[in-house]
């Protein structure tokens, strides 16, 4: 089946229905079987398509680049070029933000790919490239000099934070700098559910640290990088226009979640999956059956969080009003490009969207994987 370059919207109300017989592993699934609407080449700009009345509309403006292997992390460089990591090949590639031309920056030493681990999230700050990676004994965050005296190559990795639990599954992996200048990381509990509630463990958490890896000032637990806990597997973090932190989280058999993250709060796993209605846990702002989401990266643009779905093979729009949802989530691109891994805001209502068909769990076609240009109106 070819994936058309035409955008289709799904009714968002279906997002809140319970799905019977979901896979126990929310990061699995195969390409959707929606019939193609056209056979336009993937590199050609897609025409606009109709959507239900309301705020928010996204169109695929075209393909920036293709032929990527197991892409995972995406970060913007000053000037508009992008860096993309390959989870399984352990490489970082620079992508020209206009032409899509690719330049390999080489392998990152010390990465040990396996299962859902490898070279994952990327972030850029002050001449450093930060990477979340799976090493021999743990998951860790490192940083490498790039540009300036280092030239067009990556310097040797320097540890920033070590000791994050690793596993075959649920390694988390997303990192980003917040508006406060601190580095945040989403981690997983590696299938050992008790780690999520253990505040001494770095697994199943959102972490907040200085750029050097020390506990950030104002963290809720003195001397700790732990910012929130009770998470199963966080692969999406983003801030809205007013500086609130949002995170996407994989569920197990029933509900995936979008959470508003507050310092020191408990998000329930493994005691709660989805809304629990218990005062000791924070309920998600939105939830989906695992078959319709399995969320990885998220980004904020034009009043909404945009969430990439792996098993769900669609891009979700969650409209926000302050700290609350202002409407039902809406799904776009269902089955059109396969599994979706990462979404990054590019400014001026633009999003970059990374597909994930070559990570051993997709059904890759010619050109996979790719970075798509999206326009949000």
């Amino acid at each position: 089946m070819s994936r058309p370059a035409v955008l289709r919207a799904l009714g968002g109300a279906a997002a809140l229905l319970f799905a019977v017989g979901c896979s126990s592993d929310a990061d699995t699934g195969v390409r959707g079987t929606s019939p193609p609407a056209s056979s336009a080449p993937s590199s050609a700009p897609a025409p606009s398509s109709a959507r239900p009345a309301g705020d928010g509309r996204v169109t695929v403006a075209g393909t920036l680049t293709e032929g990527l292997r197991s892409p995972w992390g995406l970060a913007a460089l000053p000037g508009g070029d992008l860096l993309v990591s390959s989870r399984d090949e352990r490489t970082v590639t620079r992508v020209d933000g206009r032409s899509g031309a690719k330049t390999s920056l080489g392998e990152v030493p010390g990465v040990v790919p396996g299962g859902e681990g490898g070279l994952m999230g990327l972030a850029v700050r002050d001449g450093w490239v930060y990477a979340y990676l799976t090493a021999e004994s743990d998951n860790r965050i490192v940083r490498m000099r790039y540009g300036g005296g280092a030239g067009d190559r990556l310097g040797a990795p320097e540890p920033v934070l070590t000791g994050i639990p690793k596993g075959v599954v649920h390694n988390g992996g997303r990192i980003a700098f917040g508006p406060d200048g601190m580095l945040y990381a989403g981690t997983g509990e590696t299938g050992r559910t008790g780690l999520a509630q253990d505040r001494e463990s770095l697994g199943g958490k959102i972490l907040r640290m200085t750029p050097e890896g020390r506990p950030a000032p104002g963290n809720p637990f003195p001397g700790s990088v732990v910012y929130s806990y009770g998470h199963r597997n966080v692969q999406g973090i983003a801030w809205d226009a007013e500086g609130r932190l949002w995170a996407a989280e994989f569920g197990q058999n029933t509900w995936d979640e979008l959470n508003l993250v507050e310092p020191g709060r408990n998000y329930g796993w493994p005691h709660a999956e989805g809304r629990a209605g218990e005062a000791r846990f924070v309920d998600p702002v939105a939830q989906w059956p695992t078959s319709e989401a399995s969320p990885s990266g998220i980004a904020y643009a034009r009043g909404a969080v945009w969430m990439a779905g792996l098993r769900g093979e669609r891009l979700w729009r969650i409209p926000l009003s302050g700290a609350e949802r202002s409407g039902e989530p809406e799904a776009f691109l269902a089955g059109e490009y396969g599994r979706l891994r990462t979404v990054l805001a590019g400014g001026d209502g633009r999003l970059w969207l990374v597909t994930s068909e070559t990570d051993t769990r997709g059904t890759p076609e010619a050109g996979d994987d790719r970075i798509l240009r999206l326009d949000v109106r």
Side-chain angles (χ1 to χ4, degrees), residues 158-179:
E158 300 179 7
V160 173
L161 182 70
T162 61
I164 303 170
K166 64 173 282 189
V168 176
V169 296
H170 307 175
N171 288 289
R174 196 70 61 183
I175 57 175
F177 280 94

Side-chain angles (χ1 to χ4, degrees), residues 15 31 51 75 85 87 94 96 113 118 127 135 146 161 174 176 180 183 214 235 239 253 305 314 356 375:
R31 182 168 311 179
R51 61 169 302 279
S85 65
R87 186 192 69 183
R94 181 169 181 154
D96 188 288
Y146 180 63
L161 182 70
R174 196 70 61 183
D180 57 2
L183 179 64
R214 295 187 293 271
Q235 289 188 6
W239 289 262
N253 295 323
V305 167
R314 64 200 78 179
S356 189
D375 289 331

Side-chain angles (χ1 to χ4, degrees), residues 26-72:
D27 195 14
T28 61
V30 296
R31 182 168 311 179
T33 56
S34 302
S38 78
S39 57
S42 60
S43 59
S48 300
S49 62
R51 61 169 302 279
D55 295 334
R57 174 170 59 90
V58 65
T59 56
V60 180
T63 298
L64 175 64
T65 198
E66 57 186 22
L68 300 170
R69 307 301 298 174
S70 62
W72 210 104

